[in-house]
Amino acid sequence: MLRCDLNVPIDNGVISDDGRIRASLPTIKYLVDQGAKVIICSHLGRPDGARVEKYSLRHVAKRLAELLGQPVSFSEDCVGKEAIDRVSRLENKGVLLLENLRFHAAETSDSENERRKFARELAELADMYVGDGFGVLHRKQASVYELPKLLPSAAGYLVEKELSVLEQLVRSDSHPYTVVLGGSKVSDKLGVISALLPRVDNLLIGGGMVFTFLAARGYKVGKSLLEESEIETVKGYLDQAKALGVNIVLPTDIVMASKFATDAEHLVAQVAELEQTSFGANGIGLDIGPVSAEVFAEIVSTSKLCFWNGPMGVFEFESFSKGTRSIAEALTTVQGLGVVGGGDSAAAVRALGFEDSAFGHISTGGGASLEYLEGKSLPGLEVLE
Ligand code: 3PG
Ligand code: MG
């Protein structure tokens, strides 16, 4: 039983970034080469225990077969009669993908008993467990945490590779060490900010979360994303950074838009004047401005160690993708280790046309890599033998 993280973005049956599938191949191929019957399980999205067609792993099975160059059979359910049947028909070197684990509420249940019961059903299908779903190791879920306790277990090659890179980020004393954080929510990043402040030289902030930082500095941000309840915490970080001599860099200009849309009217405003554009207090900040993008890129490209998590703006909309593109470009020129951390940032660099090989490493896990950098233990890793 191989637990992968095949949680890829799918739109109308089309996989827009197959990075997590490709990253899972080395372990699958190894197991096939050893003559194993390989049963793969994964989650996709957050269907909350219901069978939701758009979260089916069926399309993933097809793509996996193409990438592996061998047939991949598919079971419409991850446990029960069909799964048992499919497993019994599996030959040595055969590969079977089970339907989304999260179609069963027990996978993500808060009740340990429910998770254990579900894990027992999964365990009956297999003789051994290999944990290779790096992106989900931070979740205490049945297939990640309870299942490996029921079978002899091992970590896969993706987990090994991800950890070796993250360990370099934690252990290395290369400087300057720069961390770039973006994405929409500050509240998701609080842990990592406080854990990293004592270690980094530069902390660059962009994306939706930047408006809470700008508000903490006293700026008005119009209708941009704002987490008012976090303003005080962010003020604390700004003070702490000052005391530690860490350079927290906020943008000085922002791309303001009339609305959240790909064809929105937009213009560049200084951070002190975000409500003084023609959009007034209704303007929404959707990207860092060009001057800020240049300043950020310069700091990134002259770093010896750099970790980036979270887009700088709404990169899916061409007009608001430039900040993210600048960071990605700069990261490819780092003379040292440059790491793209996470699902969204990884999808962003590929959507913007960058090659994986241009970066030191593209992590397949956002939450998992952040939690590791925070110094938290990952439940799915703890339990592997
Ligand atoms: C991810 O995309 O972050 C991982 O696949 C984990 O998914 P989750 O955040 O829904 O648990
Ligand atoms: Mg996630």
Side-chain angles (χ1 to χ4, degrees):
M1 179 70 76
L2 172 62
R3 175 55 159 108
C4 292
D5 180 348
L6 303 177
N7 181 20
V8 293
I10 301 187
D11 204 10
N12 281 324
V14 180
I15 298 170
S16 54
D17 174 17
D18 64 3
R20 280 177 164 164
I21 307 176
R22 283 185 282 120
S24 304
L25 294 175
T27 302
I28 301 173
K29 284 186 175 153
Y30 173 82
L31 293 171
V32 167
D33 287 345
Q34 299 302 304
K37 299 176 179 178
V38 186
I39 310 162
I40 303 174
C41 63
S42 175
H43 69 288
L44 182 85
R46 294 179 179 171
D48 295 332
R51 179 170 276 277
V52 182
E53 193 45 39
K54 71 170 175 179
Y55 293 127
S56 171
L57 280 163
R58 181 175 292 286
H59 306 288
V60 172
K62 200 167 151 254
R63 183 77 189 117
L64 179 59
E66 286 164 13
L67 291 167
L68 269 179
Q70 77 171 75
V72 170
S73 57
F74 183 73
S75 172
E76 308 256 345
D77 198 349
C78 61
V79 289
K81 188 176 174 319
E82 185 181 347
I84 294 167
D85 268 10
R86 296 260 174 203
V87 169
S88 70
R89 275 183 271 145
L90 200 55
E91 297 188 351
N92 293 347
K93 295 185 176 244
V95 178
L96 167 68
L97 177 63
L98 304 177
E99 182 57 288
N100 197 343
L101 294 156
R102 291 186 184 172
F103 284 180
H104 291 260
E107 167 69 1
T108 55
S109 172
D110 288 334
S111 147
E112 198 181 321
N113 266 338
E114 280 176 29
R115 294 199 310 265
R116 261 200 219 138
K117 194 165 152 263
F118 183 54
R120 263 185 243 120
E121 284 187 77
L122 288 164
E124 273 176 29
L125 299 172
D127 302 317
M128 293 195 65
Y129 179 91
V130 178
D132 209 24
F134 174 74
V136 76
L137 286 185
H138 60 312
R139 303 283 185 220
K140 218 174 213 179
Q141 296 176 350
S143 65
V144 179
Y145 187 68
E146 275 78 21
L147 176 56
K149 296 182 190 170
L150 303 174
L151 295 169
S153 68
Y157 290 124
L158 175 61
V159 165
E160 181 185 47
K161 182 169 145 205
E162 294 269 13
L163 291 177
S164 79
V165 173
L166 289 175
E167 218 156 281
Q168 285 180 61
L169 285 175
V170 173
R171 294 249 170 89
S172 161
D173 30 58
S174 296
H175 291 278
Y177 180 6
T178 299
V179 171
V180 187
L181 295 177
S184 50
K185 288 173 99 184
V186 184
S187 44
D188 286 348
K189 306 276 158 66
L190 295 177
V192 78
I193 294 173
S194 69
L196 287 174
L197 274 181
R199 301 207 48 239
V200 301
D201 302 296
N202 307 299
L203 181 59
L204 315 186
I205 311 280
M209 66 185 271
V210 82
F211 298 101
T212 305
F213 276 81
L214 291 173
R217 285 231 169 121
Y219 298 115
K220 293 209 161 79
V221 300
K223 287 255 161 49
S224 311
L225 271 185
L226 178 63
E227 283 179 88
E228 263 179 274
S229 56
E230 305 297 352
I231 293 178
E232 285 310 309
T233 314
V234 166
K235 277 187 187 161
Y237 289 144
L238 292 171
D239 292 342
Q240 195 190 343
K242 208 168 188 184
L244 291 165
V246 174
N247 189 21
I248 291 199
V249 188
L250 304 185
T252 54
D253 56 349
I254 294 288
V255 182
M256 295 299 286
S258 57
K259 56 182 177 181
F260 186 91
T262 183
D263 61 349
E265 271 180 68
H266 54 91
L267 41 80
V268 175
Q270 298 302 302
V271 288
E273 297 168 356
L274 299 182
E275 295 194 352
Q276 287 151 42
T277 71
S278 49
F279 316 130
N282 288 322
I284 314 175
L286 295 184
D287 195 8
I288 59 172
V291 170
S292 310
E294 209 168 298
V295 170
F296 280 24
E298 175 67 17
I299 296 173
V300 167
S301 60
T302 52
S303 298
K304 288 275 168 356
L305 199 60
C306 185
F307 175 78
W308 169 36
N309 178 290
M312 295 292 100
V314 186
F315 72 90
E316 297 90 337
F317 299 161
E318 164 67 27
S319 306
F320 311 110
S321 65
K322 297 193 184 70
T324 303
R325 183 182 291 283
S326 298
I327 297 292
E329 228 148 44
L331 199 61
T332 65
T333 66
V334 167
Q335 302 290 313
L337 180 61
V339 179
V340 180
D344 289 346
S345 330
V349 300
R350 295 192 186 108
L352 295 174
F354 291 87
E355 292 289 328
D356 286 21
S357 58
F359 302 94
H361 179 66
I362 301 184
S363 174
T364 55
S369 55
L370 288 174
E371 292 204 11
Y372 187 88
L373 292 179
E374 272 173 54
K376 288 191 185 159
S377 84
L378 304 175
L381 187 61
E382 261 172 61
V383 292
L384 296 178
E385 285 164 13

